[in-house]
Each structure stands twice: as C-alpha cells, then as structure tokens.
Amino acid sequence: MSHKLRFGIAAGALLAACAGSSLAAAPLLAHWGLDEQGGAQALESVSGRRDQVNYVFNRARYKPDSAPQWRAAGSCIREGCLLFDGYSTDIAAPALSAGQLAQGFTLSAWVAPHAFEWGDGGHYSAFLSQFDAGTQKGFSFGMQRFGTWGVKLGFGEVIADVRVKDHKLPRDAWSHVAASYDAVRHRVALFLNGERVAEAAAPADAVFTLPRRPLTIGRYSQPEQVGGVFKLNTFLGLMDEVRIAAGPSDAAAVARGMQADLARRGGKAPQLSLADMRVPASAFDGDRHRPQYHLMPDAGWMNEPHAPFYYGGQYHLFFQKNPFGPFWHQIHWGHWVSADMVRWRELPIALAPEDDGLATDGIWSGSAAYAADGTPVLFFTAGNDSAKPNQRTGIAVPQDLRDPDLARWSKYPAPVTLQAEGQGRHGEFRDPFVFRDGARQRWFQLVGSALPGGSGTALVYESADLRNWTPRGPLFSIDAKRFPGFDATWELPVLLPVGKGADGRERHVFLNDVRGQAYYWTGVFDAQSARFTPDVEAPRTFDVGQGHFSGPSGFVDPKTGRSIVFSIAQGERTLRDEWDAGWAHNAGLPVTLSLGADGELRLAPISELASLRRQLLLDLRDASAGDAAAALAAVHGDALEIELEIAPSGTAGRRGMRLRVAPGQAALTDLYVDTARGRLEIDRTRTSDQRAYGVQGGALDVKGEPLRMRIFLDRSMVEAYVNERKSLTSRIYTERADADGLALLAEAGDRIVSLRIWAMGMAGTAATAGTASKGN
C-alpha cells in the first residue's frame, strides 16, 4: 500500500528552525548556466557534457530550422537564459543515481514564469524532474496552479509532497527557488529568494531513491497528454542557473549562492519586458502557411476575438488564449490594441484564472460595455468547476485609466449574473454580450443558452448599474424540430443595429455560433419587452466556408457608427500539424454590417484595410477574359488583395479566380460563383497532393447583378466577399512554395469590367514595449 503525505506550509506556521551555524555549500553535481544564446544543446558545466534542448523548430516541418528561444545577458541572471515555450521546450539529461544523492540534495534555479498551468493530474509544471509514479521514486520540483510551488519526493511506499501556497511565484518576474532534502535529519525545506518559506519532516523510516529515468529540465517526467500529442505539466517562462548539489542547504547557504549570481548586477535581478517572455515573430520566418496581415497572437492557440471597444484613441480587442501552446486548454484573455483595427500590438495577458473563487478554471468568452461614466467594463464567462453550474458572468475594470493601453484589469470579486433554476437549460450559460439601450438608459446582457426541450436561445438580463441584473427571459427561439441541430446551445450571441427596414422600423442582426458555425437573423428588437422578432424564422449561414468562420463578436464603432463584426478563422489541421506549426488559428478580417435596400444583410471588410496595400500589381479595365488571363500570367504572390468585377455573357457557369497555382498547374485552388447552381464555392481537390481537402461552399443568389468579388489571400488564409451579400472563409494548405500564381475563371463572352490586384504588407502584431504584467 502506498501513502502520500502533502504539506501545504504557510510562512507563519513553519516548523522551528534548527539550531547551529549555517551549512557549508554542498558540492555541485550539475550546473546548467543556460548561457549558450544559440544552438540546441545546453552545457552541463560540472561534467562538461552537452545535453539536448528539445524545441519544436530544431527540426521544423513548415519553415527552416531555428534554435530554441535563447535570451541575451541583459534579460538574464548571468550570461544568458532560456525561454521555455510551455509545450515543446525541455532539456533531457542522463539520470542521477541514488548514490549521488545519498546524503540528500539541493535543487535550485532562477525562474520567471509567464503563466501557470491548470495542474493536470495533480503534477507540477516541473523545473527539475526525475520521478516515476509507478514505483513512487524520485523527485519533481516545480510549480502548480496560481503560482503555488513545491517539491514531491518518492520513497517507494510513501510520497512526500511539500507545497508553498502563501508565497506564490509572480508572473513575468525573476524568482530564485530552491528545494533541500536532508537525508540524515529527514527534513525537506523550500526557499524563495534566499528565505526559507517551508519546512517539513520526511518519512524517517524510508529511504529516498531514484528511478532509472532521465532527468528532465522544464517538464514533469510523466506528463499528462492532450490527444497523445501535447505534453502538459510543462514550464512556461524563463529559466536560468539550474543547479543540483549533493547535500542539503539552509537559508544562509542558498542566499550566498543567490548573491553570487547577482554580484555583477548590484544584487538585483533584471526587470523583464513582455518581449522577453514572448516568442518573437521572427521565430516563424519562412512559415509558408502562417498569415502575414491577419490578426494573430505571438504564438500558440487562440480562439474567438471578442470584447471590442474604443477608448482614448485606441481600439481594444481581446481573445481566447492558451499561452502554453497551440492547443485548447487553460484559457486566458489575450489583449490587443490598435489605432485603426488593422495594425495591432499584443499586450500582457489581461485576465487569467486565479485562486479567487470566481474564475479558477478559465476565463471564457465575453464582451465589453461602457459604464455610465464612460469607463470600459469587461464581461466574461467565469469558469469555476467547483460551482454548479460552472459558468457565471464576471466583470473586470481597468486598474489605471491613465494608462493609454489599459494593460491591467481588476476583476469584481463576485459573479454578477448567475443562472437560476428555470432560466434556460441548466449548466448552459456562457458568452455574455452587453449593450446599452440609450433611450431607456439601461443595459441588456445576452447569455448563450438553450430552452429545455426546445431550441437554443440567448437569455436576456437587464441592469441599471452593470452589477445587478434582472432576468427578462429568452430573447427568441425557433422550432427546433423544423431546424435540426438548433436545439444546441446558441453560443456567442451578438445583437447589432444595421439600419431601417422598408417599413421604417430599426433592424438589428442577431448572430450566434451553433456547433462551430455562425448563423444570423435580421429582425426587430423591442427594448420594452426585451424580445427580438426575426423577419424570417429560418437561420441563415453567415459565411459559407463551413466552419472556418466562427465565434462572432461585434460592437458599434463610436467613431463612425458602423456595426463591425470580428471572427475566428479556424484552421483545418490535426493536433500534430499544430504542434509542428507552433500556432493555431487567427482572426478573420473585421467586417462591417448594414442593411441593403432589399432588406437583406450586407457585409464588407472595413475600409481601413486599404492601408495594407503595398503595391498595385495589376490594374485592368474593360478587357476580354483572354486579355485578363494573359495579364495574370505575370502576377505572383501569396499575400494579395484581388478585386474582380465581371459582366457575364449570359452563359451559366463558374466565374472567379484560380489561386495558389503551381507551374504546370501541379497544384491549384478554384474560388468561384457557379451561376448554374447558384453557389459560392472553393474547390480544394487539387490544393495538396498529400491530403484531400474537398469542396466547401453554400447557396448564393447575386440577384442578376454583375459579379463583384473581393478576395483576400494571406498564405493559408483566404476570404472572399461577393456582391456584399455573402462571404466564404477557408484555408489553402499547399506544400509547394512555388504555388503562387493566379488565373481567371470565366465563360466565353464575359467582359472583365475591372481586375485589380495589390501585394499586401504585413500587419502582424508586436509585443508592446515596457515591462511585463505581474498580475491582474
């Protein structure tokens, strides 16, 4: 029978310190200075051995190989340090032997965590680990949820787990951590920045021993996994001066070692900037699939961009972010700012799960509104698995309105909206969307849910102060039997004004996400009854790319009065593909919504995107299809904007563009309107010779108008807008670097009214200057 002893030691309840003089420094067994600043090996200076630094781009699949994320001396404790990316970076070293640690040991390192894992399996995100759960032997030294940290020692029959909960590690700042085990006195001690913060007794009748398992720096020895691809329990952040000593230490000995490390820095660790903690854009140079002018984070996984607002001369946009890698897990709120909604800067993480009883398990999607005094307020889904249901609405406000970036946010300590019995399908309660009704000086909150035994819906709440909310019932519902699949939760509800209908009444568009696809209805919202009456009951597909466009969010731009929608452009890759790429997903282009004279919704990319046009490659007017085809032969590129207008000859057929064409048409992708079938489609059957991607699309009626098509090609991303009536978002994953040609799809007798093509510049994102955030 095995036993596990866990000690959560508070500083005020430490065991009594032992009498006597300070211990001499224990002899070093191993030391990794991490000063290399290049290459894929780390010197272990005691033995002179060079250990492998594992990293996704050591053997890159989609780009040229590149070294791990080394940092220069200015950001580090001594001559250099290493950024662990949270999923692919660790250092593999030979196993230590039990004989080497017979008298005990001291493990130490300088660490600057960027974020804290969820703690899957109860394991540490390890700084150092040589542990085997099956035999219960070895050690694992690392951090846990919310910045708690400690060490786990396996004695065969007994595991001693000593944790520090009241001296948590800060994010984005250097800390010195050490763990000591005294095999003679059977004591375990933990030290933070040279001070003992925990001590506990180890089993006196058990012998510490080690498994025959490699030593790992930066990852737990037996990590939990996602899909058999992503390894969890992995450190994210900077690490420096990692040491293992053959004997125990006390506070004085640990402090002396710290002081020696900092001697050339005047006794202070360097302050870190956000750029120190992020993977730079240059790490992805040469990636043939990574978009260049679509919005995306520095690295890792993103989902819905949400909570847009304008304040102090800047647009703000937040997004679902996993800072640990390109996979869904431990969701935070990332944050961007922009002057034009085109060129964005990524700021520190705005909201993170914390041990606050509010959102301990995730900060999920939401929106933004303004308080009565104009202060921006964020509304988010507070994930807390200890609550039933585990989804509530939380709010956060800026810590300092004088900060032009509003980089730091404070959560209100309690949820402001709870789902009560009888309010929708219990346990389905997320993605709050908040807006103000100016006429009544009241705010409305829509929360995605479903009706028991019926369709999905958005539950409506009303408030006079943004903190106290009164339920008003469901916004509207539809016949789930007539429309199969719409009994699912209506996630990410959005309600925006789009203009007056033919009857003179103001129209709104209601958008949502059902099973990964965005739908919409136009209709009338009555603030008095808090009900929405759709013009047509049937849901309509917003984008016909079949799942690439999802996660809608939106706002009314106070500068221009435009209703603007943001979206996530989903990838179409396996977990292994995304592991190899280092990123997953990007935002779609911002789109303006309005109502046409015929009462139908119109959509178009925002006009500010024209500022990305770097060079006009082709400007053709009133030409035959043959002349246009000849002119296109000289145009190449994978980051383009294309404007095409065709006056059809009257013959039904396919009209549009052939994209990403390789020499000899060895690879190509067709994007077209098929007037014979009334469809907008993308045919990717010849995109790749390694995978069949198929045809995507949906119904489109251009109402007899000349065909007007705008296409935004951005490496793997493609967005098309046809006659402002329908969009298509998709992916083009071609293996060929020379697949950068274009061709015209037209029928005999068609006239090309105009064909203009621009090479697009990079928008990208950059980490903001200044210091990194150290908390919310």
Side-chain angles (χ1 to χ4, degrees):
M1 179 181 294
S2 65
H3 301 275
K4 185 171 183 177
L5 309 177
R6 177 169 293 172
F7 307 89
I9 307 296
L14 296 177
L15 299 183
C18 297
S21 59
S22 170
L23 295 175
L28 276 180
L29 284 175
H31 174 214
W32 296 266
L34 303 180
D35 300 329
E36 281 72 12
Q37 300 187 32
Q41 293 183 324
L43 174 66
E44 193 289 286
S45 59
V46 175
S47 66
R49 183 186 70 244
R50 293 192 175 273
D51 294 325
Q52 178 68 32
V53 180
N54 296 310
Y55 176 58
V56 59
F57 296 145
N58 287 347
R59 298 176 183 85
R61 179 177 169 192
Y62 299 115
K63 58 177 285 295
D65 295 347
S66 57
Q69 292 295 309
W70 301 101
R71 295 294 183 262
S75 304
C76 306
I77 301 301
R78 285 196 166 186
E79 302 300 324
C81 54
L82 179 62
L83 177 69
F84 290 72
D85 66 2
Y87 86 100
S88 78
T89 309
D90 63 26
I91 299 175
L96 298 169
S97 69
Q100 289 176 295
L101 306 184
Q103 299 303 310
F105 55 84
T106 301
L107 314 173
S108 65
W110 285 92
V111 297
H114 183 50
F116 304 114
E117 277 194 308
W118 191 80
D120 293 82
H123 308 313
Y124 288 110
S125 302
F127 315 135
L128 281 159
S129 183
Q130 186 179 332
F131 189 85
D132 183 83
T135 60
Q136 298 193 136
K137 295 179 180 179
F139 63 81
S140 179
F141 176 40
M143 61 187 189
Q144 254 276 354
R145 303 184 73 183
F146 317 123
T148 61
W149 59 286
V151 66
K152 178 168 63 176
L153 305 180
F155 294 85
E157 290 296 314
V158 179
I159 294 175
D161 193 343
V162 184
R163 297 191 184 182
V164 178
K165 296 182 179 180
D166 60 351
H167 286 72
K168 296 176 181 177
L169 299 178
R171 290 192 292 116
D172 301 327
W174 284 111
S175 298
H176 185 269
V177 291
S180 171
Y181 170 59
D182 187 331
V184 175
R185 297 175 52 251
H186 306 290
R187 312 293 288 182
V188 183
L190 294 170
F191 305 89
L192 177 62
N193 297 325
E195 295 184 4
R196 189 181 65 190
V197 293
E199 186 180 4
D205 56 351
V207 177
F208 177 79
T209 188
L210 286 166
R212 300 181 63 179
R213 177 177 289 279
L215 173 70
T216 303
I217 301 173
R219 196 191 309 272
Y220 177 64
S221 302
Q222 296 170 300
E224 302 293 315
Q225 296 191 23
V226 173
V229 174
F230 288 95
K231 296 178 180 179
L232 305 177
N233 314 121
T234 300
F235 177 73
L236 169 62
L238 293 172
M239 200 180 301
D240 202 357
E241 304 302 327
V242 181
R243 298 179 173 94
I244 302 175
S249 297
D250 59 12
V254 172
R256 285 195 300 269
M258 269 188 62
Q259 292 162 5
D261 284 342
L262 297 175
R264 286 179 289 180
R265 293 191 171 276
K268 294 183 178 180
Q271 192 173 32
L272 297 171
S273 72
L274 188 59
D276 294 325
M277 309 303 295
R278 293 271 171 86
V279 176
S282 60
F284 300 96
D285 284 353
D287 185 330
R288 61 181 178 267
H289 299 313
R290 185 176 171 90
Q292 298 299 287
Y293 62 85
H294 279 75
L295 178 58
M296 59 193 309
D298 61 326
W301 185 93
M302 71 163 286
N303 217 5
E304 304 94 35
H306 50 223
F309 68 86
Y310 182 80
Y311 186 83
Q314 292 197 108
Y315 293 96
H316 294 253
L317 186 64
F318 301 81
F319 63 100
Q320 298 281 273
K321 178 183 179 76
N322 177 11
F324 286 87
F327 60 102
W328 189 93
H329 208 46
Q330 53 243 338
I331 301 304
H332 299 56
W333 269 35
H335 185 190
W336 293 301
V337 293
S338 172
D340 59 4
M341 289 185 283
V342 176
R343 296 167 179 83
W344 299 85
R345 287 185 295 120
E346 187 172 356
L347 298 174
I349 290 169
L351 299 174
E354 293 182 290
D355 190 15
D356 53 11
L358 174 66
T360 54
D361 296 292
I363 308 287
W364 302 327
S365 293
S367 63
Y370 300 101
D373 64 358
T375 299
V377 181
L378 301 181
F379 290 78
F380 59 90
T381 307
N384 185 338
D385 290 344
S386 66
K388 301 297 180 186
N390 70 342
Q391 303 158 31
R392 298 92 58 83
T393 298
I395 64 173
V397 295
Q399 289 186 12
D400 184 2
L401 287 173
R402 297 168 298 178
D403 173 14
D405 287 340
L406 304 180
R408 297 186 181 185
W409 294 78
S410 294
K411 303 187 194 86
Y412 186 63
V416 297
T417 318
L418 299 169
Q419 184 183 27
E421 290 289 345
Q423 295 174 8
R425 193 176 297 161
H426 200 61
E428 301 293 323
F429 192 79
R430 51 189 176 271
D431 310 330
F433 177 79
V434 177
F435 63 97
R436 190 175 189 180
D437 174 47
R440 302 180 68 232
Q441 297 298 305
R442 305 279 287 182
W443 288 268
F444 289 100
Q445 178 187 174
L446 309 181
V447 183
S449 188
L451 298 176
S455 75
T457 192
L459 301 175
V460 184
Y461 296 81
E462 187 174 351
S463 175
D465 60 6
L466 296 178
R467 290 191 179 180
N468 299 284
W469 294 87
T470 301
R472 296 294 307 275
L475 181 69
F476 80 107
S477 61
I478 62 174
D479 186 343
K481 293 181 180 179
R482 284 188 61 201
F483 305 104
F486 284 85
D487 57 336
T489 297
W490 289 4
E491 297 182 309
L492 301 156
V494 176
L495 188 69
L496 297 170
V498 289
K500 290 185 177 180
D503 58 5
R505 293 190 298 172
E506 183 69 37
R507 288 302 194 276
H508 282 71
V509 61
F510 175 77
L511 301 99
N512 64 12
D513 190 293
V514 180
R515 303 182 190 272
Q517 179 74 49
Y519 296 92
Y520 76 94
W521 293 257
T522 58
V524 176
F525 173 68
D526 178 60
Q528 191 68 37
S529 64
R531 294 294 181 269
F532 175 79
T533 303
D535 294 328
V536 177
E537 183 187 15
R540 287 181 276 190
T541 303
F542 190 88
D543 182 283
V544 298
Q546 296 175 351
H548 290 289
F549 180 107
S550 64
S553 65
F555 78 132
V556 177
D557 179 6
K559 287 179 62 179
T560 64
R562 296 173 296 178
S563 288
I564 297 176
V565 166
F566 297 87
S567 66
I568 181 67
Q570 299 283 354
E572 197 173 358
R573 293 169 131 177
T574 65
L575 285 177
R576 171 51 63 181
D577 293 340
E578 290 173 336
W579 193 100
D580 290 337
W583 60 274
H585 314 154
N586 54 265
L589 298 175
V591 174
T592 60
L593 303 184
S594 60
L595 201 66
D598 58 358
E600 296 293 323
L601 189 67
R602 297 291 192 272
L603 61 158
I606 60 172
S607 58
E608 290 89 338
L609 291 166
S611 66
L612 289 173
R613 295 169 177 170
R614 181 170 54 85
Q615 181 184 0
L616 183 61
L617 302 177
L618 182 64
D619 188 359
L620 196 63
R621 309 295 178 100
D622 191 23
S624 68
D627 290 342
L632 282 170
V635 180
H636 296 268
D638 61 5
L640 305 170
E641 180 188 351
I642 303 167
E643 282 189 354
L644 170 66
E645 183 173 352
I646 298 179
S649 62
T651 303
R654 295 182 174 184
R655 293 174 172 89
M657 294 293 299
R658 180 162 284 174
L659 309 172
R660 301 302 305 265
V661 182
Q665 298 196 347
L668 57 87
T669 300
D670 287 347
L671 178 58
Y672 54 84
V673 174
D674 187 335
T675 54
R677 298 164 53 236
R679 290 182 64 83
L680 168 61
E681 292 184 335
I682 184 168
D683 183 343
R684 304 174 302 158
T685 55
R686 296 175 63 186
T687 294
S688 167
D689 59 6
Q690 296 182 9
R691 179 178 171 186
Y693 285 98
V695 178
Q696 294 178 323
L700 172 65
D701 183 358
V702 297
K703 308 290 187 180
E705 301 169 348
L707 177 66
R708 301 187 310 277
M709 181 178 283
R710 290 184 70 187
I711 301 171
F712 293 86
L713 176 64
D714 193 3
R715 294 193 175 168
S716 67
M717 265 298 299
V718 60
E719 294 185 51
Y721 299 84
V722 179
N723 290 41
E724 297 188 348
R725 292 182 177 275
K726 193 64 71 176
S727 65
L728 185 153
T729 301
S730 190
R731 294 280 181 176
I732 301 175
Y733 294 116
T734 180
E735 295 82 24
R736 297 186 60 124
D738 59 355
D740 62 356
L742 299 171
L744 181 70
L745 298 175
E747 298 296 326
D750 287 351
R751 293 296 296 177
I752 307 305
V753 178
S754 67
L755 175 57
R756 296 193 293 172
I757 302 175
W758 292 269
M760 301 291 271
M762 286 186 62
T765 59
T768 189
T771 59
S773 171
K774 296 181 183 178
N776 297 319

